[in-house]
Amino acid sequence: MGQPKFNPVRDVISGAIMAATSVPQLIAYAETVGYAGYRGLTTAGAPLLAWGVATGSPWMNAGVTSLTAVMAKVDLGGEAYVAKYGEDEYVNLVSAYSLYIGIASIVMASFGFGTLAQKVPGAVKTGFKWGCELGVLASALPNGLYAFGSNLKANVAKSALGEVVKSVKAVVPGATGVNGVSNILYAATNPQTWDPLPAVIFFSCTLFVMKAKNFLPKWMPPGSEVVIATAAATVFSVYTEYDGGVVGEIPTISSDRGISFFGGIVKIPIEVMDLKTLLDVPIVERCFGNSWVSLFMTAAIFSGVNFLSIVGIASGFETENNISWSAPRELISQGVSNLAAGAVGSAPVSGSMSRSLVSRMTGASSKLACIVTA
């Protein structure tokens, strides 16, 4: 297949589709990190824009993922920190951590880690792809099969799986992924607990997206099946007055805040964190035992593990579509994107498997699609 021919119209369409279909994930992963869901929406644009400028991939899409959300929460002790210091302090903490991960990524790229990671055995790459896919599935199932996702966690806690989760966490406190796996197992083995309406919509839309290419007219652009499924589900929700989950009111920022271009003619309402405030966050004292070495080692491990998911995605595109890629460049892209994430209050970001695949499926031809999504 090779590098797709540049088509700005397709890129704009693909970018718009990505922006619309990413909303549930952005909200879910923000809540996974441990703060309000609306923050996932308000902070997604800047790191994605930085990624779109820096990456060499036409399809790679980035943002907070299930992996980065869980790792950040575990490394920083999210729930305990919020309970002790409050959500605003936790947002500052997460932002500072993103900043240090960005620095670690760029330093590691400078010392050749990207090239080394590109030589990872195929089995490891495949494992990370499966891990990413399970993470996406775990985040989608609650809202896909249960109304507002409200019943699944409670049901799992009352079941035998709940006892297994407690036992595993007692032995390995950092094994937060066991929650997602237990949710998948419970949902798959207890269909009698599903809420009929969201389950029917979930399976109908999924089946349609998977099979629509076989019967849709050939003149329709790539990704039409996603647009049709999204539109149909939206119309159905409006007709049946199904409101869905409520994120809450997004706070406004004052007119003198945000990023201005062209002498203030163009203004983007993004609240930029103060660099001094980020550097003064007591992340070392509160989370890493007063050890800067521990902070930078943890940030480096986070960056390395994070990058392996990018390696899995990029290697898949290379194998399936014959598109070569540069590991050092993508690692630097990860670093730049995390610097931008820290600047706007976002959790650490990485390449997203599901969003990258949707970008390819909807006909993106260049990284312009990623920029349009931002």
Side-chain angles (χ1 to χ4, degrees), residues 7 46 50 59 103 108 124 131 161 171 181-182 188 198 210 228 240-241 248 254 281 302 306 313 322 345 358:
N7 187 323
W59 298 318
I103 294 171
M108 291 168 69
V124 176
L161 283 171
V171 178
V181 174
S182 63
M210 292 173 63
I228 294 172
T240 58
E241 297 183 351
S254 61
V281 171
F302 191 116
N306 212 12
I313 298 169
N322 195 30
V358 171

Side-chain angles (χ1 to χ4, degrees), residues 19-36:
T21 56
S22 295
V23 170
Q25 280 192 346
L26 296 176
I27 295 171
Y29 294 154
E31 293 174 349
T32 300
V33 174
Y35 47 55

Side-chain angles (χ1 to χ4, degrees), residues 152-207:
L152 182 57
K153 291 182 180 179
N155 289 345
V156 172
K158 296 175 184 177
S159 70
L161 283 171
E163 296 302 319
V164 174
V165 170
K166 290 180 182 179
S167 300
V168 172
K169 284 192 170 183
V171 178
V172 187
T176 55
V178 70
N179 290 321
V181 174
S182 63
N183 289 346
I184 294 173
L185 289 175
Y186 182 89
T189 56
N190 293 273
Q192 74 278 4
T193 64
W194 299 350
D195 288 310
L197 181 58
V200 168
I201 296 174
F202 178 74
F203 285 117
S204 298
C205 290
T206 301
L207 185 63

Side-chain angles (χ1 to χ4, degrees), residues 62-270:
V64 179
T65 67
S66 57
L67 178 65
T68 63
V70 170
M71 288 178 64
K73 185 176 184 179
V74 171
D75 288 350
L76 302 176
E79 292 178 356
Y81 198 96
V82 172
K84 187 172 184 179
Y85 300 106
E87 185 176 322
D88 288 340
E89 283 291 309
Y90 183 57
V91 170
N92 289 339
L93 182 77
V94 172
S95 302
Y97 196 38
S98 295
L99 188 70
Y100 290 117
I101 290 170
I103 294 171
S105 298
I106 294 173
V107 171
M108 291 168 69
S110 302
F111 282 91
F113 180 83
T115 303
L116 178 64
Q118 198 166 6
K119 301 181 184 300
V120 166
V124 176
K125 298 176 184 177
T126 302
F128 264 84
K129 288 180 67 176
W130 273 97
C132 291
E133 290 163 0
L134 283 174
V136 172
L137 183 61
S139 68
L141 275 180
N143 289 321
L145 301 178
Y146 300 86
F148 311 120
S150 58
N151 299 330
L152 182 57
K153 291 182 180 179
N155 289 345
V156 172
K158 296 175 184 177
S159 70
L161 283 171
E163 296 302 319
V164 174
V165 170
K166 290 180 182 179
S167 300
V168 172
K169 284 192 170 183
V171 178
V172 187
T176 55
V178 70
N179 290 321
V181 174
S182 63
N183 289 346
I184 294 173
L185 289 175
Y186 182 89
T189 56
N190 293 273
Q192 74 278 4
T193 64
W194 299 350
D195 288 310
L197 181 58
V200 168
I201 296 174
F202 178 74
F203 285 117
S204 298
C205 290
T206 301
L207 185 63
F208 177 79
V209 170
M210 292 173 63
K211 301 296 184 180
K213 286 184 178 180
N214 297 330
F215 53 82
L216 285 179
K218 300 299 181 184
W219 54 264
M220 297 187 74
S224 296
E225 61 272 26
V226 179
V227 176
I228 294 172
T230 303
T234 303
V235 169
F236 181 82
S237 298
V238 172
Y239 180 75
T240 58
E241 297 183 351
Y242 177 77
D243 296 328
V246 178
V247 179
E249 183 178 354
I250 299 177
T252 58
I253 63 175
S254 61
S255 58
D256 60 338
R257 306 288 288 274
I259 304 175
S260 298
F261 298 95
F262 309 112
I265 297 176
V266 178
K267 194 172 186 66
I268 302 176
I270 298 175

